[in-house]
DNA sequence: CGTCTGAGTTACGTCAACGTAAATTCCCAT
DNA sequence: ATGGGAATTTACGTTGACGTAACTCAGACG
C-alpha cells in the first residue's frame, strides 16, 4: 500500500504545499514527530494525518498552540471520555468566536457599503459639476 | 461653538477611548497632526474628524497604512475627481476582500459544524458503551 | 577526489500596532 | 521652593508564524 509510505521532507512539502521551515517549525512546536533516521526526518502516515489536521485547524482559525492541544487530546490514551468532551468544548468555543467574527464582518461590510453609496453620489454630483463647467 | 474646541491629549483619550500612546503613534505614522504648543499636543476639530475616520477604518479592517493613504487622498487639494475615484476603488477592493473573507469563514464554520456532529456521535456512542459496561 | 544537491542546525529578522518602562520636563498650587 | 500630577521623549518588549541567512554534513555522481 502507498498508505504506510514514508516520506522525506521534500515529498511532504510538495504534497502539502508547505516549506521545510514550516515542517521543522511544527516539529519544534511539538505538532509533528517525524522519525529521525540519522540526521534526516522521515514522515509517516501518522504525520500526514496530523499535518492534515493542522492545516485544517489553521483554516478554522485555530492558533498552532490550540491545535497542539487538540492533537494532544485527540491522540491520547484510551480514557477519552473527558478528553473528547474537552475537545468538543474547545471546538464549540471556537465556533462561537468564529460566528461572532463573521457577524462583525457582516456589519462592517454593511457599513462600508453605506459609505460607498455616499461615495457614489459624491462622484455622480462631481461628474455633473465637471460637465457643467465645460 | 464647542465645535472648534481644542482638546488636550487626555480629553482626546477620554472622548475616543484610546491611549496617549495610540495618539502619539498615529502622529508618528502621520495619521494625525496635532498643533504643538510648546511641548504639548493640541487636537483640533480636524484631528477629531481624522481620528473618527481612522477608528472607523480600523473597524473596516483597513491597516493604518491603508487608512493613511485614504486620508491623504481624502484631504488633498481640489481636483479630487481622480483622487476620490481612487479612494472608491480601494474601498471597493477592500469590500470584496472582506466578502471573500466572510465566505471563507462561513465555509470553515460549516466544516467545523460537520466535524462536531462527528464529535457528538462519538460522544453519544461512547456514552452508551460506558453505560453498557456498568 | 572534487563538487553538487539536499538536508540539517542555529539564530537573527520580519510585520502590526501598540504596551511599557525610564528618565525628563512642565506648570501649578501650597 | 517644593511637591505633585500631566505630558513628553526614547527605546526596548510583545505576539505568531514562519522567512532568511550562514554554515555544516552526508551521500551521489562523474
Amino acid at each position: 500500500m502507498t498508505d504506510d509510505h514514508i516520506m522525506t521532507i521534500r515529498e511532504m512539502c510538495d504534497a502539502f504545499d508547505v516549506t521545510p521551515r514550516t515542517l521543522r517549525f511544527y516539529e519544534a512546536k511539538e505538532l509533528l514527530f517525524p522519525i529521525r533516521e540519522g540526521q534526516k526526518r522521515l514522515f509517516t502516515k501518522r504525520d500526514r494525518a496530523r499535518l492534515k489536521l493542522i492545516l485544517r485547524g489553521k483554516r478554522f482559525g485555530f492558533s498552532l498552540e490550540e491545535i497542539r492541544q487538540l492533537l494532544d487530546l485527540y491522540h491520547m490514551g484510551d480514557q477519552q471520555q473527558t478528553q473528547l468532551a474537552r475537545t468538543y468544548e474547545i471546538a464549540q468555543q471556537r465556533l462561537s468566536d468564529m460566528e461572532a467574527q463573521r457577524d462583525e464582518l457582516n456589519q462592517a461590510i454593511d457599513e462600508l457599503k453605506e459609505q460607498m453609496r455616499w461615495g457614489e453620489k459624491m462622484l455622480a454630483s462631481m461628474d455633473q459639476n465637471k460637465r457643467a463647467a465645460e
Side-chain angles (χ1 to χ4, degrees), chain A:
Chain A
M1 319 166 176
T2 146
D3 198 30
D4 54 355
H5 177 50
I6 283 181
M7 296 171 78
T8 72
I9 201 170
R10 186 99 302 277
E11 290 176 312
M12 287 291 279
C13 291
D14 294 344
F16 291 92
D17 193 35
V18 294
T19 69
R21 177 71 176 99
T22 299
L23 295 178
R24 299 193 192 106
F25 184 76
Y26 288 170
E27 184 185 0
K29 292 286 175 179
E30 303 191 275
L31 290 157
L32 294 177
F33 306 96
I35 305 168
R36 303 303 293 264
E37 181 164 321
Q39 282 293 31
K40 310 201 167 179
R41 293 166 172 82
L42 295 177
F43 298 82
T44 70
K45 175 190 174 188
R46 180 175 52 98
D47 298 305
R48 290 194 290 280
R50 291 178 74 96
L51 183 52
K52 211 176 288 184
L53 290 176
I54 292 169
L55 297 179
R56 174 179 295 173
K58 294 205 60 181
R59 290 210 317 280
F60 290 167
F62 288 93
S63 71
L64 289 185
E65 174 54 21
E66 289 172 319
I67 292 173
R68 192 188 60 72
Q69 292 177 22
L70 290 175
L71 283 175
D72 283 357
L73 294 177
Y74 199 77
H75 282 286
M76 194 191 247
D78 282 319
Q79 42 277 73
Q80 291 168 329
Q81 271 92 338
T82 356
Q83 310 293 14
L84 195 48
R86 255 182 121 60
T87 303
Y88 187 70
E89 253 179 59
I90 297 181
Q92 216 162 19
Q93 178 57 50
R94 181 72 203 141
L95 176 57
S96 70
D97 285 356
M98 286 167 62
E99 286 178 331
Q101 191 182 335
R102 179 199 54 190
D103 292 345
E104 270 187 61
L105 207 48
N106 272 324
Q107 196 190 334
I109 287 172
D110 288 347
E111 285 188 58
L112 188 47
K113 277 183 178 168
E114 202 53 41
Q115 291 298 98
M116 290 175 68
R117 261 192 284 287
W118 209 78
E120 261 175 29
K121 283 182 194 167
M122 257 317 233
L123 286 173
S125 78
M126 290 178 66
D127 191 46
Q128 281 203 328
N129 292 343
K130 188 182 165 192
R131 268 178 295 170
E134 285 174 344

